[in-house]
């Protein structure tokens, strides 16, 4: 039985991942802000909650994040930039996952394969940016990709069997994307969860530190 930790377990994708992992027989621990007081932007909260879970874990998924924070919609142009909105995006979508990854070495086993996956977004790809806009969200996701890459290098020194990756789940039908679903093909949260677990199950240590989409295709940095 795999021991799985889902962070952001009450969100659309997080709840679907929790259900899918449970249905396949994993022993799942879920943490969220709404249910458990797990505040991924607060280092004390992260340390306290992660210090109380039943490690080691064969799979950790950081499924926290938001496209809009306190009503601040993605900017249509850099001219619309607001400092607080940008800092809020970095706190939740980049600093938060970084705080989790600072505990990864203690949460993952050293003697067997394990995966730590952080949900990112294709719009965080610098190489794939063709249209501009959404600068705060894009930049925060680009930052978390660098966090994942850096953490993977350090983790490999002590955990050679582990994989640390960023994952793009696609456009998922949740409250997170409700206003934007008409612009891109989308899938249900349940389908997205199945896709992500399928990708995770196919990863090897040789792929650590990389960025994959829901179909297992590599996304450019």
């Amino acid at each position: 039985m795999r021991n799985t930790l889902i962070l952001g377990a009450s969100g659309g994708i997080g709840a679907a991942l929790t259900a899918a992992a449970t249905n396949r027989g994993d022993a799942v621990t879920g943490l969220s802000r709404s249910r458990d007081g797990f505040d991924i932007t607060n280092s004390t909260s992260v340390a306290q909650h992660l210090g109380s879970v039943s490690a080691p874990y064969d799979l950790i998924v950081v499924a926290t994040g938001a496209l809009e924070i306190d009503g601040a919609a993605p900017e249509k142009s850099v001219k619309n930039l607001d400092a607080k909105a940008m800092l809020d995006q970095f706190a939740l979508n980049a600093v938060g996952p970084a705080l989790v990854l600072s505990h990864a070495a203690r949460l993952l086993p050293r003697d067997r394969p394990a995966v730590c996956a952080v949900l990112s977004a294709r719009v965080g790809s610098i190489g794939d940016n063709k249209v501009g806009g959404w600068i705060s969200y894009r930049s925060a996701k680009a930052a978390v990709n660098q966090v994942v890459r850096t953490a993977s290098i350090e983790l490999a020194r002590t955990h050679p069997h582990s994989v640390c990756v960023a994952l793009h789940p696609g456009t998922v039908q949740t409250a997170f994307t409700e206003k934007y679903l008409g612009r891109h093909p989308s899938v249900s949260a349940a389908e997205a969860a199945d896709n992500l677990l399928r990708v995770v199950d196919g990863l090897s240590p040789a792929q650590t530190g990389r960025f994959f989409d829901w179909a297992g295709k590599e996304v450019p940095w």
Side-chain angles (χ1 to χ4, degrees):
M1 179 183 292
R2 279 171 289 203
N3 205 20
T4 295
L5 175 64
I6 308 293
L7 304 175
S10 65
I13 300 177
L17 282 166
T18 300
T22 300
N23 289 340
R24 73 178 189 176
D26 292 13
V28 180
T29 301
L31 291 175
S32 71
R33 183 168 186 165
S34 62
R35 287 199 315 236
D36 310 290
F38 174 71
D39 182 358
I40 197 170
T41 67
N42 182 285
S43 58
T44 300
S45 178
V46 171
Q48 288 178 342
H49 282 87
L50 296 185
S52 66
V53 296
S54 300
Y57 288 96
D58 305 292
L59 172 62
I60 300 171
V61 182
V62 183
T64 53
L67 182 57
E68 294 187 10
I69 301 174
D70 292 337
E75 310 92 346
K76 293 182 179 179
S77 166
V78 68
K79 293 181 291 185
N80 306 123
L81 190 66
D82 176 80
K84 181 181 183 303
M86 191 171 197
L87 289 170
D88 287 345
Q89 282 291 332
F90 270 79
L92 181 59
N93 289 316
V95 177
L99 290 174
V100 172
L101 289 176
S102 72
H103 297 270
R106 179 177 53 79
L107 296 172
L108 296 168
R110 294 190 181 212
D111 59 347
R112 64 180 187 271
V115 175
C116 184
V118 175
L119 297 195
S120 183
R122 188 180 295 275
V123 296
S125 167
I126 296 172
D128 192 55
N129 186 354
K130 305 294 194 303
V131 298
W134 291 30
I135 186 168
S136 295
Y137 184 71
R138 284 185 187 276
S139 300
K141 289 299 188 180
V144 83
N145 290 346
Q146 180 69 283
V147 167
V148 168
R149 175 65 176 169
T150 302
S152 74
I153 294 169
E154 298 182 13
L155 188 64
R157 295 171 185 156
T158 55
H159 295 64
H161 306 293
S162 289
V163 181
C164 182
V165 292
L167 295 179
H168 167 58
T171 301
V172 184
Q173 298 161 10
T174 67
F176 183 88
T177 58
E178 188 174 4
K179 296 180 183 178
Y180 309 95
L181 290 177
R183 304 180 187 183
H184 305 282
S186 61
V187 297
S188 68
E191 184 176 351
D194 288 340
N195 291 337
L196 291 170
L197 290 179
R198 190 177 305 114
V199 173
V200 163
D201 289 344
L203 294 172
S204 71
Q207 295 169 300
T208 195
R210 293 158 69 178
F211 183 15
F212 298 97
D213 72 6
W214 59 270
K217 296 180 180 178
E218 192 160 5
V219 181
W221 294 122

